[in-house]
Amino acid sequence: MSHFVTKLLPAAVILVGATGLGGCASKSFVREQIAPVSQRVDALEARLQETDGTAKAALAEAQAASGQAQNNGQRLDQLNGRVDGVEQRLQAQENRAKRPRN
């Protein structure tokens, strides 16, 4: 054999062996390997939807509470105005009562 063939022969054997052993995976093999991952993804999607629903419900409750707090603040402002008016009338009555009568 020539020097060129002796160098080329091992490379050719490795190339033929690699392509022959590599092969393609069958559909059933791929399905078997993907099945556990697919099941985990499905479970995570279900949990994500549940969490999303919980978050949306919590947001709705928080918005309702915010509206109620705003209403309560307005009512407190009104009551403060009424209390101020009552205090002013009371103070005026006390001032009239303290004036000496002639």
Side-chain angles (χ1 to χ4, degrees):
M1 277 203 230
S2 73
H3 183 62
F4 177 72
V5 173
T6 55
K7 282 189 170 186
L8 186 62
L9 187 61
V13 170
I14 290 173
L15 183 64
V16 169
T19 56
L21 293 177
C24 294
S26 67
K27 287 182 181 180
S28 62
F29 176 78
V30 172
R31 286 185 190 132
E32 289 174 12
Q33 297 302 310
I34 297 297
V37 175
S38 180
Q39 289 172 351
R40 289 183 64 194
V41 168
D42 291 343
L44 288 173
E45 283 179 349
R47 287 180 57 196
L48 178 62
Q49 288 177 353
E50 180 183 336
T51 302
D52 187 50
T54 302
K56 285 180 180 177
L59 176 61
E61 288 180 20
Q63 288 172 336
S66 174
Q68 186 62 43
Q70 195 171 21
N71 289 340
N72 290 344
Q74 290 172 351
R75 289 185 65 204
L76 282 173
D77 289 343
Q78 292 171 353
L79 289 174
N80 281 335
R82 289 177 64 189
V83 168
D84 289 344
V86 170
E87 286 177 342
Q88 288 174 356
R89 283 186 293 188
L90 183 60
Q91 188 69 33
Q93 286 178 353
E94 287 176 356
N95 287 342
R96 278 189 235 135
K98 288 184 182 178
R99 280 191 243 159
R101 292 190 182 181
N102 291 346

